[in-house]
Amino acid sequence: MLLRCLLLILLCVGTPREAQGQGGACARSHDDWSRRCSERTGVPLQVLHCPPGRVVVRAGSGTTAVLVEVSSASEHSFQSAGTLGASPVGEFPDWNQEPRERQEAFAAVVSCLDDLSLLRESRAPLRPPQAPRRPPWLLLAAVSMLGFLSLIPRRSRPRASLHNTWLGLGLEGALALLILALLTLIGRRLLIPARFFHQNGQGPLWVEAAAYGDLSFSYGPGYPELFGWLAGAFPGASERAIFEATALLGALVPPAGVLLALSSGTTAGGAWVVGGCLALHPLLGRLSRGESYLGVQIALLTVAAAALARAGRIRGRPWLLAGAVVGAGLLVAQAARVHPTSWLAGATVPLVLLAQPGSVTGRGKRTVLAGAGVGGMVLLTSGQALWGVYQGPLGQQWRPSSLVSLTFPWLGLVLCGGLAWRLRRHPGLLLALAAGGAALGVLQSADMLRLNFPWIADAYRLQFLPVLLASGAATLATIRKRRFWAPATLATVGVAAVVFRWPEYTTVPTDVREQAWAQGWRETIPPGSSITYLSRAGERIVMLPLDRERWHVQALTTGQETTVPRLPTGGYYYRSSLCSTPEGRPVCEALEQGGSLEAVVEQVLPGIASLPWLPLPRDPIRVGLYRVR
């Protein structure tokens, strides 16, 4: 019955039409360029695809090949030639330590950038002046579906009321969840400053992608879809609007955690302890007070898991679970469209149904059908968009680990399911542990951000929290006298996790401090003024939150110009933290010697790196805004 309901709903949803790819036409239109460049340099070149304003090229062969993204020269470009810039795609802590063949392959592409006539199609503006504005239909469809289901009576009664909905909490419980969300939102607003989160100073890049509706964003169209319409509604305050929206999404995580814990069999006291720990978690709070795509994905996946878990406790109405599967699938699809880092965590969401009270057979059937349903929704609504990202630079970068890891949870389920069948005395406990073990296995085999600092690495890992939380709650539910031990254990684990990571979670790197400071002094600069600063020095990046439609921003990159440009008289020069690095110091010194500077505001910041492989000087770093005389 559940399978028939699920298939019926999936067929009714249909498949939205997505833009067709340009891979074949792109390669054909640049065949002459790639052939000539290969003949001239001796390096094999293959044009992969052409998002608007970009060309992605594979240079070299074998294990030393490199993906190169060619676009209009900007502060993001690793190297530039004329009006075009090129950047290697991937994680390269020190480019100079890469194999010589890879460096030569990248240099070959750069040497061919002067052939502009053959790349004229790739020079379209990266940020169109008028971005498409459309609401996030996946999110709205999911909210509509789950909202409708939440008001359906759990059983037949003459009169339906909020006390009888499938949420199973009654009016008092629903109000308590709402109060928890509001307290979370208000408390974080009072205690945690609004700041960018993205490492290596690239937070403003995401705000720009949303503000200009860049649906060809390399990471996926999800972030511009979620926040593009909001940025368009507040053109002068798009950054603040996005910050407020992420705060609202983040405030949903604690109530969703309460529902998830209750649905996994823990006591009411234990569930509210979970909600309190999630509300007070410093890293979750920090994610919700910025632009971070990781915070958005955590919220979407946690709500999806809570909806599945709550509906899974209802017996005798399979169409309710089928509707919840569709709603959860829409949320997982929306998260998957934001960034590939959510794909593996989203694949584990249906495992929450395995960590629930009930028969072993029933749990297994619901989990398998929910997994198929969620996967079907993702393919129906976002298959083409995700395939485009998967074929692009990021998908190429993460392809091996992703393919291996996607098969791990279901293989682990089969093995653990067989073990549970053999050990019939505690099948429920074993299935709950199997769900958590499968999620941990996926995370361990594809811990994509493990090389980053803990506040970045753990933000990625928190996407697997729904399954781990359900597994832990279900395990505690098997303990006798759980009315005391479940809340005490959950509180102890939550407090220990926060205390252990407190120094790292509260560390604010230099680039984030610099961006927060720029949000203040930028309001003192007259519109139309020129602002020049060093934005990229080698692999180090500091993007300032400066609206290019309000000011004329000249963001410089080391090696981008053969000669250091002269500062325009009457404009402004900002000495960024990159001027204190070995790569950026010579450029800044040349800039400052070429003009008369009058200090407008100066600041001294601690030297705290945001990437372990790009350390900053330990001495205090002087930054400042100056008027050019």
Side-chain angles (χ1 to χ4, degrees):
M1 182 63 182
L2 174 59
L3 179 60
R4 290 196 294 270
C5 294
L6 188 57
L7 290 175
L8 179 61
I9 294 178
L10 288 174
L11 289 174
C12 292
V13 170
T15 309
R17 183 178 180 180
E18 305 218 36
Q20 297 297 320
Q22 306 177 15
C26 162
R28 289 191 298 271
S29 65
H30 297 94
D31 274 345
D32 290 340
W33 173 79
S34 59
R35 177 176 51 80
R36 291 185 185 182
C37 188
S38 296
E39 292 175 352
R40 189 171 69 181
T41 62
V43 175
L45 294 182
Q46 179 187 5
V47 178
L48 297 180
H49 68 138
C50 303
R54 288 180 280 248
V55 175
V56 179
V57 182
R58 183 196 299 275
S61 59
T63 58
T64 58
V66 61
L67 294 179
V68 182
E69 184 177 89
V70 179
S71 61
S72 299
S74 69
E75 67 270 24
H76 313 307
S77 303
F78 185 65
Q79 289 187 22
S80 301
T83 59
L84 291 178
S87 300
V89 178
E91 293 289 341
F92 305 109
D94 187 350
W95 178 251
N96 294 326
Q97 299 299 320
E98 292 299 314
R100 179 177 55 84
E101 295 82 1
R102 179 171 295 153
Q103 296 186 46
E104 291 177 349
F106 175 75
V109 176
V110 175
S111 69
C112 298
L113 294 184
D114 56 349
D115 200 354
L116 299 179
S117 60
L118 294 175
L119 281 173
R120 58 184 180 273
E121 295 181 12
S122 73
R123 297 178 61 195
L126 286 178
R127 303 174 183 88
Q130 290 185 351
R133 305 297 181 188
R134 63 179 186 183
W137 63 271
L138 280 175
L139 179 62
L140 294 178
V143 171
S144 300
M145 172 66 78
L146 297 179
F148 171 73
L149 293 176
S150 66
L151 297 177
I152 295 178
R154 294 183 62 188
R155 59 183 70 86
S156 300
R157 284 189 180 181
R159 297 178 61 186
S161 68
L162 287 175
H163 289 274
N164 191 30
T165 58
W166 75 282
L167 286 175
L169 298 176
L171 181 60
E172 297 81 3
L175 288 177
L177 291 179
L178 178 60
I179 291 173
L180 176 61
L182 290 175
L183 289 177
T184 301
L185 183 66
I186 296 172
R188 290 173 176 175
R189 190 181 185 90
L190 293 176
L191 299 175
I192 304 175
R195 292 192 181 108
F196 287 99
F197 183 84
H198 200 289
Q199 67 271 34
N200 206 22
Q202 297 184 61
L205 174 66
W206 290 80
V207 174
E208 282 188 9
Y212 290 92
D214 186 6
L215 297 180
S216 64
F217 200 35
S218 299
Y219 300 96
Y223 200 89
E225 286 172 347
L226 281 172
F227 302 115
W229 66 276
L230 190 61
F234 301 94
S238 57
E239 178 186 294
R240 182 177 178 182
I242 292 173
F243 279 27
E244 295 296 337
T246 56
L248 288 173
L249 286 173
L252 298 178
V253 174
V258 172
L259 287 176
L260 193 56
L262 282 174
S263 303
S264 301
T266 194
T267 63
W272 287 106
V273 166
V274 168
C277 290
L278 294 177
L280 297 174
H281 196 284
L283 183 56
L284 288 175
R286 186 171 166 185
L287 288 167
S288 69
R289 294 290 288 150
E291 89 302 338
S292 177
Y293 65 87
L294 289 169
V296 173
Q297 293 168 181
I298 290 170
L300 294 174
L301 296 181
T302 305
V303 173
L308 274 183
R310 203 60 190 162
R313 294 297 303 273
I314 307 303
R315 302 291 182 266
R317 292 196 173 185
W319 56 273
L320 282 177
L321 179 57
V325 168
V326 171
L330 291 170
L331 292 176
V332 172
Q334 184 65 78
R337 295 168 74 95
V338 172
H339 196 284
T341 52
S342 69
W343 294 359
L344 297 179
T348 66
V349 165
L351 297 181
V352 298
L353 293 173
L354 204 63
Q356 289 192 331
S359 67
V360 172
T361 303
R363 292 195 210 183
K365 288 181 178 179
R366 288 191 294 273
T367 303
V368 172
L369 291 176
V374 170
M377 286 304 303
V378 173
L379 290 177
L380 281 174
T381 60
S382 307
Q384 189 169 351
L386 299 185
W387 182 247
V389 175
Y390 187 72
Q391 286 186 308
L394 291 174
Q396 295 287 327
Q397 176 186 343
W398 289 331
R399 176 175 293 180
S401 63
S402 298
L403 286 178
V404 172
S405 304
L406 272 174
T407 62
F408 188 92
W410 304 107
L411 178 61
L413 278 182
V414 172
L415 296 177
C416 294
L419 179 62
W421 179 254
R422 292 295 302 272
L423 302 177
R424 295 187 179 91
R425 294 185 59 184
H426 304 287
L429 175 60
L430 288 174
L431 286 182
L433 293 175
L440 284 176
V442 176
L443 176 57
Q444 181 65 28
S445 63
D447 196 359
M448 298 178 183
L449 302 181
R450 64 185 180 279
L451 298 180
N452 286 264
F453 282 121
W455 63 85
I456 300 294
D458 286 358
Y460 167 76
R461 294 163 184 156
L462 282 172
Q463 296 179 105
F464 294 86
L465 182 63
V467 179
L468 298 178
L469 177 59
S471 175
T475 300
L476 291 175
T478 63
I479 300 176
R480 294 183 179 181
K481 299 182 180 180
R482 57 178 180 165
R483 186 177 298 276
F484 169 77
W485 286 110
T489 304
L490 290 170
T492 301
V493 172
V495 171
V498 170
V499 170
F500 178 71
R501 289 290 204 186
W502 182 265
E504 291 84 0
Y505 289 167
T506 55
T507 298
V508 182
T510 301
D511 50 19
V512 173
R513 296 171 186 264
E514 195 169 5
Q515 291 164 340
W517 187 53
Q519 290 173 320
W521 59 251
R522 69 185 177 184
E523 301 303 327
T524 64
I525 300 180
S529 299
S530 172
I531 307 174
T532 304
Y533 75 101
L534 181 63
S535 175
R536 180 163 190 163
E539 286 292 298
R540 307 174 194 270
I541 299 174
V542 173
M543 290 186 63
L544 296 182
L546 300 176
D547 189 345
R548 297 175 183 271
E549 295 183 356
R550 185 176 179 184
W551 301 288
H552 177 67
V553 181
Q554 186 178 14
L556 304 179
T557 299
T558 55
Q560 182 172 319
E561 305 289 344
T562 55
T563 59
V564 177
R566 184 177 180 84
L567 295 174
T569 303
Y572 291 84
Y573 163 70
Y574 176 74
R575 178 184 172 85
S576 71
S577 59
L578 298 182
C579 296
S580 298
T581 64
E583 303 93 334
R585 186 177 294 109
V587 176
C588 294
E589 290 177 350
L591 281 170
E592 294 165 11
Q593 291 173 0
S596 177
L597 303 179
E598 176 188 351
V600 177
V601 59
E602 294 180 320
Q603 177 73 282
V604 176
L605 301 174
I608 304 174
S610 63
L611 288 175
W613 53 87
L614 295 176
L616 289 175
R618 293 185 178 182
D619 299 332
I621 295 176
R622 180 174 62 88
V623 297
L625 180 69
Y626 304 87
R627 190 188 303 274
V628 183
R629 294 297 186 185

